[in-house]
Amino acid sequence: MRFEFDIAPVEQARPRATRMGKGIRLYDPKKVSIFKRQLGMLAKQQMLDRGLEPYDGPLEVCMEFYRPVQASVSKKERDRRLSGVHRPTVKPDLDNYIKSTSDALNGIIWADDNLIVSLQADKFYSERPYLVVEIRSSTYN
């Protein structure tokens, strides 16, 4: 099953902390929190439109993150990046994109991200930032 989301990928950042009485409360930075909420709403809508419930059981997942090209590069370099000749090797790290996306989709596309037994992920440049998540039931026993 393939899901495409028209939202710019956002990396998982370190949690922030605040004192609450004698304890400490950890929370996501605002940018990450907004991304997770928006991605969750987009995913819920696609699941409803397809009449699907969250997947349960071992899953193989492929994630593709399409990020914008930096404005500071030349036209020639921009064309190289958009054609795929030059892939993103700059921050944010791929694993941080994966973490924020898998957390946002918990309980929506899959029951929990601990069900992911195989994962492939890629970063690309694009004129229009978006992300793709493709899942299939695992054939592993």
Side-chain angles (χ1 to χ4, degrees):
M1 182 72 51
R2 182 181 166 91
F3 300 89
E4 189 171 314
F5 303 105
D6 288 325
I7 186 172
V10 172
E11 72 279 9
Q12 179 68 48
R14 295 198 187 280
R16 305 294 188 250
T18 185
R19 286 192 187 272
M20 301 258 327
K22 294 183 180 181
I24 296 176
R25 182 179 80 89
L26 297 176
Y27 61 95
D28 282 329
K30 187 174 183 177
K31 180 179 174 182
V32 177
S33 179
I34 291 170
F35 168 76
K36 287 180 178 181
R37 188 170 44 253
Q38 289 176 338
L39 180 57
M41 289 188 307
L42 292 170
K44 280 180 190 174
Q45 188 59 54
Q46 285 195 36
M47 292 294 281
L48 280 173
D49 291 348
R50 299 175 188 194
L52 299 172
E53 293 291 321
Y55 289 88
D56 199 2
L59 297 172
E60 295 176 5
V61 176
C62 177
M63 296 181 184
E64 296 173 358
F65 302 95
Y66 294 85
R67 53 167 291 161
V69 178
Q70 297 89 332
S72 61
V73 298
S74 68
K75 182 175 177 358
K76 183 176 179 180
E77 179 60 21
R78 178 180 183 78
D79 292 342
R80 292 181 69 221
R81 291 178 183 200
L82 292 173
S83 69
V85 171
H86 183 190
R87 300 264 302 270
T89 57
V90 296
K91 290 188 182 276
D93 298 348
L94 184 59
D95 60 329
N96 291 330
Y97 278 149
I98 293 167
K99 183 67 177 153
S100 64
T101 301
S102 61
D103 285 351
L105 299 177
N106 268 345
I108 301 169
I109 291 184
W110 41 71
D112 195 279
D113 57 359
N114 65 2
L115 298 170
I116 299 172
V117 297
S118 175
L119 177 66
Q120 177 186 335
D122 294 286
K123 286 193 298 188
F124 299 98
Y125 286 112
S126 175
E127 291 279 359
R128 173 185 60 93
Y130 66 102
L131 64 100
V132 174
V133 176
E134 192 170 333
I135 63 170
R136 62 181 174 271
S137 294
S138 175
T139 56
Y140 298 121
N141 291 324

